[in-house]
Amino acid sequence: MNALQLEKIGSLQLKETHTSETKPGEILLKVTHCAVCRTDAKMWERGQRDLVLPRVLGHEICGISEESGKRFAVWPGSACGHCEDCRRGTENLCREMQIIGFHKDGGFAEYVAVPESSLIPIPDDLPGEIASLAEPLACAINGLRQIRVREEERILIYGAGSVGLLTGLAVSAQNASPFIREIRPDRLTRSEVFRDRIGMTCAEDCKEHRFDAAINAAPSSDTFLQGLSALRPGGRFCLFSGLIDDQPIPVPAINEIHYRQLRIAGAYGCTAAQMKAALNILADHKNDVKLLIEDHITLEQVPHILPKILAGEAFKFVVDV
Ligand SMILES: [Zn+2]
Ligand SMILES: [Zn+2]
């Protein structure tokens, strides 16, 4: 089969490989769509903590079982199933976690081996291209879960890329109000129609500057420091994106956490249940979410669009396999 393999950092090659072998408890899924994530681009550019090379990338996968004809979105994790985190329903924190497209071969290929426990059925009327966004949306849902977002709360999101916008969708699906802060005018312009559809307001345009919670879908340290000061006393900040610069966190900002009883929570990945919830939201908003699909591409085109993704100049590219 054809597969796009990251041989080493910076070298992504389309190859003819053996069709993935399935282990007990796994099925072979024919990939129909696999969305390209910013993390794929980052892995290509500089690697990632959980990446094991060489690797077929791609973790935002939809496929079809050739045996049953059923369509599935893939929860990209496979957890041990019996440790404390797995039993608690936070299997994304399992220490034996193996992530498809990171530790195991992913969806930039014609076929992918997937544990049966990771298969989430796609609602009948939901196109596969939209369903391939279930994983990033589920990660956003996980982020909101970590800061316990409640109805009618005002949630400030940093970054109007596709993840920030999907986070806005997850916020409005919870009947809370999403606000966006984005420093690049081009990204505000590009996202305007989507933001209008889901009721996401520019934070600059609102009078009230105190938010119940904030979440970063942008990797600069400034988002963290600004986010803390935008919170009401007792507000929560979700560190959804890792920070990429080496800027130290000043002590006064730490003390602000103390004096104003702020709470900080991390979020990484998502659970299978959150993927299911994401598919339901996507089914309710398929016409809105369509706006976030930049283009359909082939496996061959993936290496060429990665710089565009790193530059934050595009929404989601979906590979039609
Ligand atoms: Zn992703
Ligand atoms: Zn476990």
Side-chain angles (χ1 to χ4, degrees), residues 35-40 58-60 76 102 132 135-136 139 163 316:
V36 186
C37 178
R38 197 177 156 79
T39 307
D40 295 317
H59 58 272
E60 301 181 358
F102 292 66
S132 69
E135 194 271 345
C139 291
V163 171
K316 296 295 279 189

Side-chain angles (χ1 to χ4, degrees), residues 80-81 83 86 94:
C80 78
C83 72
C86 283
C94 174

Side-chain angles (χ1 to χ4, degrees), residues 79-87 90-91 93-97:
C80 78
H82 49 257
C83 72
E84 215 175 320
D85 287 308
C86 283
R87 281 185 280 131
T90 49
E91 67 269 23
L93 302 180
C94 174
R95 278 197 220 153
E96 286 170 44
M97 172 61 74

Side-chain angles (χ1 to χ4, degrees), residues 16-66:
E16 178 66 34
T17 61
H18 293 292
T19 302
S20 325
E21 283 181 20
T22 52
K23 295 197 193 107
E26 290 185 339
I27 77 157
L28 196 63
L29 203 63
K30 183 163 176 33
V31 179
T32 56
H33 303 87
C34 187
V36 186
C37 178
R38 197 177 156 79
T39 307
D40 295 317
K42 281 199 260 181
M43 290 199 277
W44 166 76
E45 185 192 49
R46 56 173 179 271
Q48 202 266 359
R49 190 196 69 176
D50 291 332
L51 174 66
V52 183
L53 292 172
R55 179 66 52 230
V56 176
L57 302 182
H59 58 272
E60 301 181 358
I61 308 166
C62 281
I64 188 161
S65 155
E66 289 186 315

Side-chain angles (χ1 to χ4, degrees), residues 64-316:
I64 188 161
S65 155
E66 289 186 315
E67 241 168 64
S68 67
K70 287 192 182 132
R71 300 184 308 143
F72 298 99
V74 176
W75 176 60
S78 52
C80 78
H82 49 257
C83 72
E84 215 175 320
D85 287 308
C86 283
R87 281 185 280 131
R88 219 183 254 154
T90 49
E91 67 269 23
N92 55 321
L93 302 180
C94 174
R95 278 197 220 153
E96 286 170 44
M97 172 61 74
Q98 295 280 300
I99 309 171
I100 292 176
F102 292 66
H103 305 92
K104 303 199 293 184
D105 281 342
F108 292 154
E110 288 173 68
Y111 291 90
V112 61
V114 179
E116 282 177 41
S117 55
S118 295
L119 297 173
I120 324 276
I122 299 177
D124 283 342
D125 57 347
L126 185 62
E129 58 182 73
I130 309 276
S132 69
L133 304 191
E135 194 271 345
L137 179 57
C139 291
I141 293 172
N142 181 51
L144 302 184
R145 163 89 193 128
Q146 301 316 314
I147 47 172
R148 306 275 189 272
V149 169
R150 291 182 290 262
E151 283 189 17
E152 292 180 20
E153 284 194 322
R154 297 154 47 82
I155 313 301
L156 178 59
I157 297 159
Y158 283 89
S162 43
V163 171
L165 298 170
L166 286 171
T167 305
L169 175 63
V171 168
S172 50
Q174 292 193 22
N175 298 320
S177 304
F179 293 82
I180 190 87
R181 193 153 274 166
E182 168 61 60
I183 47 174
R184 281 173 50 176
D186 59 317
R187 295 191 1 146
L188 281 176
T189 311
R190 189 147 35 87
S191 60
E192 202 172 342
V193 180
F194 180 83
R195 289 188 288 107
D196 281 351
R197 293 251 196 116
I198 65 159
M200 195 177 198
T201 316
C202 252
E204 282 70 20
D205 296 344
C206 72
K207 289 189 204 85
E208 174 61 68
H209 289 293
R210 286 282 183 254
F211 295 90
D212 298 294
I215 179 164
N216 70 341
S220 132
S221 300
D222 292 340
T223 60
F224 180 63
L225 298 174
Q226 287 172 24
L228 291 184
S229 43
L231 293 174
R232 66 163 170 80
R236 297 93 69 199
F237 188 94
C238 175
L239 208 47
F240 179 81
S241 172
L243 307 177
I244 54 167
D245 40 46
D246 288 330
Q247 201 180 309
I249 305 296
V251 170
I254 308 274
N255 286 343
E256 207 179 332
I257 300 172
H258 159 67
Y259 287 120
R260 299 205 298 122
Q261 280 191 196
L262 306 178
R263 277 171 285 169
I264 317 289
Y268 181 58
C270 60
T271 65
Q274 287 161 344
M275 287 251 336
K276 203 169 171 214
L279 282 169
N280 291 334
I281 296 175
L282 292 173
D284 288 343
H285 292 273
K286 45 181 183 281
N287 293 327
D288 304 329
V289 175
K290 217 174 181 167
L291 294 166
L292 298 185
I293 295 182
E294 182 81 27
D295 206 355
H296 289 258
I297 58 171
T298 60
L299 283 175
E300 288 88 335
Q301 288 172 295
V302 173
H304 307 291
I305 53 96
L306 295 179
K308 228 178 163 182
I309 294 180
L310 287 170
E313 285 168 1
F315 288 141
K316 296 295 279 189

